[in-house]
């Protein structure tokens, strides 16, 4: 919604109606303002989704996004969420199950598929650890901090189900994308929190060997 509003404002200042050339000029203007390639691509995704929908609903016979190629992203980079971005997302998701899910991703580095398999019995609040059923039947124990514990504690006693997070990856992605779009953060998916955790762990002086175990990797090369 923010992306669409900014494009509409840009069109208003240029006293123009949208077409392919103007869309391309708008994306270039975002780049010249210093927006990251990922942020510019998010604008392209938002515009493409909106105008494709408008065309399908016959509100706009001529789709201005036709022929507008997606901005290229840099290759070979590891995407992470900055601390400021995580704070912005969590501020938007306060008092929701999504807040607990995002914090768990951010503070433990577990995979989305692993989060969905966590049962209430897998979480030990005394030791602040959770038993993770990893890929290839490789189970491991992962620690979590006080912040994560404060969010998990009430959840364990109120969800009334065997599984701690009775949801789906599709719903998690949908909720995360909603919060990202509404607080101006580039949506990079829930798996990006795994990268973020790993980078923060190493920057804080954590051992790569310990990180290898926490992440469930089989070799240091993967770390």
């Amino acid at each position: 919604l923010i992306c669409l509003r900014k494009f509409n404002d840009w069109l208003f200042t240029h006293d123009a109606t949208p077409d392919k050339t103007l869309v391309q000029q708008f994306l270039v203007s975002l780049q010249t303002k210093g927006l990251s390639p990922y942020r510019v691509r998010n604008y392209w995704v938002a515009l493409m989704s909106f105008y494709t929908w408008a065309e399908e609903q016959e509100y706009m016979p001529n789709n201005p996004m036709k022929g507008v190629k997606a901005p290229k992203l840099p290759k070979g980079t590891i995407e992470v969420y900055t601390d400021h971005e995580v704070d912005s997302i969590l501020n938007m998701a306060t008092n929701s199950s999504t807040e607990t899910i995002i914090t768990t991703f951010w503070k433990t580095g577990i995979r989305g598929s692993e989060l969905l398999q966590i049962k209430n019995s897998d979480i030990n609040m005394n030791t602040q650890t959770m038993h993770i059923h990893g890929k290839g039947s490789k189970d491991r124990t992962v620690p979590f901090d006080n912040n994560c514990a404060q969010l998990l504690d009430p959840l364990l006693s109120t969800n009334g189900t065997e599984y701690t997070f009775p949801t789906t990856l599709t719903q998690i992605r949908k909720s995360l994308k909603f919060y990202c779009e509404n607080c101006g953060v580039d949506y990079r998916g829930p798996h990006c929190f795994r990268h973020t955790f790993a980078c923060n762990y190493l920057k804080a002086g954590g051992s790569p060997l310990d990180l290898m175990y926490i992440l469930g990797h089989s070799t240091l090369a993967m770390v």
Side-chain angles (χ1 to χ4, degrees):
L1 184 59
I2 293 175
C3 297
L4 295 176
R5 283 177 176 172
K6 288 189 175 181
F7 180 56
N8 186 64
D9 291 343
W10 189 85
L11 289 174
F12 181 78
T13 58
H14 288 74
D15 192 22
T17 55
D19 59 28
K20 176 183 176 181
T21 300
L22 285 171
V23 171
Q24 291 172 328
Q25 291 176 354
F26 172 69
L27 295 176
V28 170
S29 73
L30 296 176
Q31 294 173 341
T32 57
K33 290 179 180 178
L35 269 69
S36 72
Y38 301 100
R39 187 73 181 276
V40 175
R41 190 182 180 93
N42 279 355
Y43 275 86
W44 178 87
V45 170
L47 293 173
M48 179 63 77
S49 299
F50 173 73
Y51 283 112
T52 298
W53 171 82
E55 182 182 30
E56 291 174 349
Q57 298 298 316
E58 299 182 353
Y59 293 138
M60 182 172 289
N62 298 316
N63 187 344
M65 293 301 294
K66 283 188 176 179
V68 180
K69 296 182 179 180
K72 294 183 178 180
L73 298 177
K75 297 181 179 180
T77 58
I78 298 296
E79 295 183 77
V80 299
Y81 290 107
T82 65
D83 289 342
H84 175 71
E85 287 177 329
V86 176
D87 288 340
S88 297
I89 296 170
L90 292 177
N91 285 335
M92 286 289 299
T94 299
N95 299 323
S96 71
S97 59
T98 304
E99 179 188 14
T100 306
I101 290 172
I102 291 173
T103 302
T104 302
F105 280 140
W106 181 37
K107 297 293 187 176
T108 65
I110 63 175
R111 302 176 178 92
S113 59
E114 294 172 340
L115 178 129
L116 298 179
Q117 295 182 59
I118 297 174
K119 298 180 180 179
N120 293 344
S121 58
D122 291 325
I123 298 178
N124 189 323
M125 296 302 295
N126 294 323
T127 60
Q128 290 191 189
T129 58
M130 56 179 63
H131 185 78
I132 300 299
H133 307 279
K135 294 173 63 177
S137 300
K138 295 179 180 178
D139 291 8
R140 66 189 189 279
T141 300
V142 174
F144 54 86
D145 65 5
N146 292 332
N147 183 14
C148 194
Q150 290 174 357
L151 293 171
L152 285 171
D153 192 31
L155 185 64
L156 296 179
S157 59
T158 59
N159 69 1
T161 64
E162 180 183 11
Y163 290 91
T164 307
F165 303 101
T167 184
T168 65
L169 280 178
T170 299
Q171 185 57 50
I172 291 173
R173 293 189 183 101
K174 182 179 179 180
S175 297
L176 176 59
K177 185 175 182 180
F178 171 81
Y179 289 121
C180 284
E181 290 178 346
N182 280 274
C183 65
V185 172
D186 295 342
Y187 171 73
R188 299 192 282 282
H191 193 78
C192 188
F193 286 107
R194 183 169 166 85
H195 299 165
T196 304
F197 167 82
C199 289
N200 288 342
Y201 186 91
L202 293 174
K203 286 192 295 183
S207 164
L209 284 172
D210 290 338
L211 180 60
M212 181 179 71
Y213 175 80
I214 293 173
L215 293 178
H217 287 324
S218 55
T219 66
L220 271 177
M222 297 181 71
V223 175

